[in-house]
Amino acid sequence: MVNQLNPRPRQVEVWFQNRRARTKLKQTEVGCEYLKRCCENLTEENRRLHKEVQELRALKLFPQLYMHMNPPTTLSMCPSCKRVAVSSSAAATRPSLQQLQTVVR
């Protein structure tokens, strides 16, 4: 079929250059999307960790207040993921960062 079109060598060269450029652009787009998703996940994790740090600082500053507001909790080990979990009733009574900040003010 190529013989039927009878392209000049320069046309063939340009066609392959364009093909390589399109392939490289597509790979770049895929890589960019992957990095964008990673960045979004890391940003969300960063927000979560900042919130956790604030809560821990509040706990460190006001441990008596925190313990007074919280009854003793029941901890249990999740058999599938081996993480310690707080019972739902204790988690429901745990004061939020906003509640602790209002008490401080």
Side-chain angles (χ1 to χ4, degrees), residues 3 6 8 10-11 13 20-21 29 34 37 40 45 54 56 60-62 66 77-80 82 85 94 97 100 103:
N3 291 337
N6 198 21
R8 289 173 287 172
R10 178 67 185 148
Q11 288 175 309
E13 184 180 329
R20 284 191 300 271
E29 287 174 351
Y34 173 76
R37 282 194 307 273
E40 289 169 354
E45 178 73 3
Q54 287 179 334
L56 289 172
K60 184 178 178 183
L61 291 174
F62 305 102
Y66 189 81
M77 178 75 75
C78 174
S80 62
K82 305 290 188 214
R94 180 179 174 196
L97 177 61
L100 287 173
V103 171

Side-chain angles (χ1 to χ4, degrees), residues 2 15 24 27 33-34 39 50 53 59 86 89 91 97 99:
V2 173
W15 185 87
K24 185 176 180 180
Q27 289 173 344
E33 282 299 315
Y34 173 76
C39 183
H50 274 289
V53 165
L59 173 62
V86 178
S89 62
L97 177 61
Q99 290 171 327

Side-chain angles (χ1 to χ4, degrees), residues 46-81:
N46 190 21
R47 282 190 195 116
R48 187 188 66 74
L49 289 172
H50 274 289
K51 182 179 177 185
E52 188 175 331
V53 165
Q54 287 179 334
E55 290 173 353
L56 289 172
R57 284 184 181 152
L59 173 62
K60 184 178 178 183
L61 291 174
F62 305 102
Q64 300 85 5
L65 174 66
Y66 189 81
M67 292 308 290
H68 182 284
M69 294 175 79
N70 272 332
T73 59
T74 305
L75 300 177
S76 59
M77 178 75 75
C78 174
S80 62
C81 65

